[in-house]
Amino acid sequence: MFYRLCTFNKGLLIPGRGLTQGSQDPKEQGPLHIHEVRVKLREIVGASTNWRDHVKAVEERKLLHGFLAKSQEGLPPRRMKDSYTEVLLPLGGQPELREKYLTVQNTVRFGRILEDLDSLGVLICYKHSKIQAAQRSPLSIVTALVDKIDMCKKSISPEQDIKFSGHVSWVGKTSMEVKMQMLQLHGDEYTPVLGATFVMVARDSENKGPAFVNPLLIESPEEEELFAQGELNKGRRIAFSSTSLLKVAPSAEERTTIHEMFLNTLDSKTISFRSRVLPPNAVWMEDSKLKSLLVCHPQERNIFNRIFGGFLMRKAYELAWATACSFGGSRPFVVAVDDIMFQKPVEVGSLLFLSSQVCFTQDNYIQVRVHSEVASLQSKEHTTTNVFHFTFMSEKEVPLVFPKTYGESMLYLDGKRHFNSWAPVNLMTKNYLVEP
C-alpha cells in the first residue's frame, strides 16, 4: 500500500500537471475551508439549516424536475479538471478546530476524515454535473460505494494543516467515480497520507429515481489511463458481486480451508463431531463481537434530510476500531477501508444498530466487518443499510479466529477475500499509525 499510493501520479491528477480548481469564479480558485464544503452543498440543493423547514425544501425541489436531462447525449461533456477541487483543513492554525479531530493519543480521528471525504466526494460530483441554467441543482447525488481507501502515512499529526483534493475520474450513465487524496503539511510541502476511490450516483430532484450525468471528456493519455482504471474497477466490482458467498458456494480451496479449521477444533478425546475445542492462541468468532445502538437525530442529517453517510462511516469505524483493540489487546492502526456499500438510506428518527465482528486474522492483521441495520420507531422490522470492511494492524501478533457455524465460516471466507484483495502488494510495509 505504501509502495503503491505514495506515488499518487498513478491514481490522481495533480495541479502540477495543469489541473486546477474547476470553478471559473476567481473567489473559488484557492482551496475551500473544510467548513465551506457543507455550506456549499446546502446552497447547491437549496437545503435548509432548520429541521422544521425540511418538508418545504423537499416540496421546492419538485419544481426542478424540468431541468433533468432526458438522455446523457443532451448534456455537455465535462473535463476532469472541471471538477477538480481542493479543500483545506487548517489544523495547524486553528486550535479550536483541532479539538474536533483530536484523539487522546494526540493523533487525528480517522472517523472525522471519513466524514470529510464523503462530503468532498459529493461536492466534486456536483461540480462535474453543474447546470448553468439552474440556480439549484436538480440532481440528488448520493454516495453509493466506498470502493477503497488506502493509507500510506505512518501518522497523522493534529498540529499540521491537511489538504484534500480530488476530481471525477470515470463516468457511467448515472454514476461517477471520484478519486481523492489527502496530504499533510510537513515543512514547506504537502506529503501524501491516503488515497480514496468513491462511487456516487445521481438521482432525480426528489431522490426517487436515477438521473443522467454529464459524460467525461478525455484530454490526455494520463486521463485515458484513469478512465480505463475506472472501467476495470467497475468490472472488478461486478465480478466480486457475482462470486459473493451469498450467491454461490465457496471454491474448492475455500471449502478445504474451512474443513481443515473444523478438524483442528475437534476434541480428539471424544471422537465426536459435536465436541469442539480451540487450538492454542485462538478465539471463537462468536466471542469477538461488539454492538452499539444509535438514535438518529436531525443534527446528523445530510442535505437531503437523511442521515449523513460520513456520520455512518465514522460510527462504524469507531466501533470496528474498538473491536480490533479489544481483540488484539493493543492499539490497532487502520490500513485499509474497502467495499462499503450504501444499500439503503437511513431516515432521521431511526434506531441504528451496529454489529462489529472480527472475521479474519493473520499475523498482526485484523479484518473487521460491521453490519448496520435500522428499525423504525413505528415497527420492529430490521433492515440492512450498510456493510463496512476495515483492515487493521495491531502492535503485536493477534490470536487466530475460528468459526463454529456454517454462517460464521462464510463470514470468515468473506473476510479472507477482503484481506487478500489488499494484502499481496501492501504487506511490503508496516509503516501505519492511524487511530480513531
Side-chain angles (χ1 to χ4, degrees):
M1 185 180 302
F2 187 89
Y3 172 83
R4 181 178 61 189
L5 279 168
C6 284
T7 54
F8 269 103
N9 57 335
K10 293 186 178 181
L12 182 76
L13 297 182
I14 55 177
R17 293 181 179 154
L19 197 63
T20 57
Q21 189 93 350
S23 173
Q24 301 302 312
D25 186 346
K27 297 179 181 179
E28 298 183 7
Q29 294 304 308
L32 296 170
H33 188 287
I34 192 66
H35 81 265
E36 295 179 286
V37 175
R38 296 288 291 273
V39 172
K40 282 191 169 293
L41 287 175
R42 284 194 294 267
E43 292 174 351
I44 289 170
V45 303
S48 172
T49 57
N50 191 334
W51 168 246
R52 291 175 297 180
D53 295 336
H54 75 280
V55 174
K56 179 183 177 182
V58 171
E59 289 298 317
E60 290 177 348
R61 285 193 58 78
K62 291 181 180 180
L63 303 176
L64 298 173
H65 270 277
F67 290 99
L68 294 170
K70 304 300 181 183
S71 68
Q72 191 176 43
E73 290 71 23
L75 294 169
R78 296 281 162 75
R79 304 168 298 177
M80 289 189 185
K81 66 175 64 176
D82 292 331
S83 63
Y84 180 80
T85 306
E86 291 184 352
V87 174
L88 184 65
L89 174 57
L91 297 180
Q94 297 188 12
E96 67 281 2
L97 178 63
R98 189 184 308 153
E99 288 292 318
K100 178 181 177 181
Y101 288 81
L102 191 64
T103 73
V104 70
Q105 291 79 33
N106 202 40
T107 59
V108 170
R109 294 175 63 183
F110 186 67
R112 292 293 189 192
I113 300 301
L114 291 176
E115 290 183 319
D116 293 338
L117 287 171
D118 190 52
S119 295
L120 175 58
V122 175
L123 180 61
I124 287 171
C125 288
Y126 271 119
K127 276 197 170 185
H128 173 83
S129 57
K130 183 177 181 180
I131 297 177
Q132 302 295 337
Q135 185 177 1
R136 295 175 180 174
S137 176
L139 299 179
S140 302
I141 295 176
V142 296
T143 306
L145 169 72
V146 177
D147 185 74
K148 177 70 76 173
I149 300 175
D150 285 327
M151 307 302 302
C152 70
K153 195 66 179 177
K154 185 176 181 180
S155 64
I156 304 178
S157 169
E159 299 177 354
Q160 303 295 329
D161 289 353
I162 286 172
K163 184 166 66 175
F164 300 94
S165 62
H167 62 83
V168 171
S169 56
W170 175 89
V171 168
K173 292 290 185 180
T174 63
S175 60
M176 294 163 279
E177 180 187 89
V178 180
K179 285 196 177 296
M180 294 174 282
Q181 66 174 351
M182 170 181 158
L183 306 100
Q184 184 156 44
L185 189 63
H186 285 273
D188 296 329
E189 63 179 43
Y190 283 94
T191 59
V193 175
L194 65 80
T197 303
F198 282 44
V199 177
M200 309 290 183
V201 295
R203 310 277 290 172
D204 63 26
S205 306
E206 300 177 76
N207 197 10
K208 292 183 177 180
F212 295 105
V213 296
N214 301 67
L216 195 60
L217 182 64
I218 307 301
E219 296 185 309
S220 69
E222 290 173 332
E223 292 184 1
E224 187 174 349
E225 183 179 349
L226 278 177
F227 190 87
Q229 183 60 53
E231 290 285 352
L232 290 175
N233 290 341
K234 178 183 177 182
R236 171 180 51 78
R237 290 190 294 267
I238 292 173
F240 197 85
S241 175
S242 65
T243 58
S244 167
L245 293 167
L246 293 171
K247 299 178 181 178
V248 298
S251 66
E253 181 181 355
E254 289 174 330
R255 291 195 296 270
T256 299
T257 296
I258 292 302
H259 189 64
E260 288 178 350
M261 294 183 75
F262 174 74
L263 294 179
N264 286 338
T265 62
L266 290 181
D267 189 347
S268 59
K269 297 177 181 179
T270 63
I271 316 178
S272 169
F273 287 132
R274 294 185 179 182
S275 182
R276 308 281 296 277
V277 293
L278 275 171
N281 192 34
V283 176
W284 292 119
M285 279 184 66
E286 65 182 19
D287 296 327
S288 68
K289 293 181 181 179
L290 285 180
K291 296 184 178 182
S292 69
L293 168 65
L294 300 171
V295 180
C296 297
H297 295 292
Q299 178 186 5
E300 308 300 343
R301 72 189 188 279
N302 62 16
I303 52 178
F304 302 113
N305 293 303
R306 267 68 178 265
I307 296 300
F308 175 42
F311 171 78
L312 299 176
M313 284 194 284
R314 173 163 65 88
K315 288 300 183 181
Y317 167 76
E318 289 174 351
L319 181 63
W321 184 90
T323 303
C325 182
S326 176
F327 181 87
S330 64
R331 293 199 172 276
F333 318 133
V334 64
V335 295
V337 181
D338 77 304
D339 197 27
I340 296 178
M341 294 289 296
F342 289 82
Q343 301 178 17
K344 183 179 175 61
V346 178
E347 302 291 342
V348 173
S350 300
L351 297 179
L352 180 68
F353 296 86
L354 295 174
S355 177
S356 177
Q357 184 170 26
V358 175
C359 53
F360 177 78
T361 60
Q362 178 177 307
D363 301 326
N364 59 336
Y365 291 93
I366 307 171
Q367 188 71 33
V368 181
R369 180 183 189 270
V370 181
H371 179 258
S372 168
E373 58 184 5
V374 295
S376 69
L377 297 177
Q378 289 75 33
S379 78
K380 296 182 180 180
E381 182 178 351
H382 287 222
T383 305
T384 297
T385 59
N386 303 83
V387 178
F388 306 84
H389 301 275
F390 301 97
T391 306
F392 293 94
M393 185 185 75
S394 180
E395 293 175 326
K396 58 186 180 181
E397 189 167 327
V398 299
L400 296 174
V401 64
F402 274 78
K404 264 189 178 181
T405 66
Y406 187 81
E408 287 181 344
S409 297
M410 296 304 100
L411 287 177
Y412 178 90
L413 292 178
D414 188 59
K416 189 173 187 292
R417 288 181 179 185
H418 281 282
F419 179 79
N420 287 340
S421 70
W422 165 82
V425 172
N426 302 303
L427 290 184
M428 293 180 185
T429 180
K430 297 182 180 180
N431 294 327
Y432 306 108
L433 180 57
V434 183
E435 301 185 8

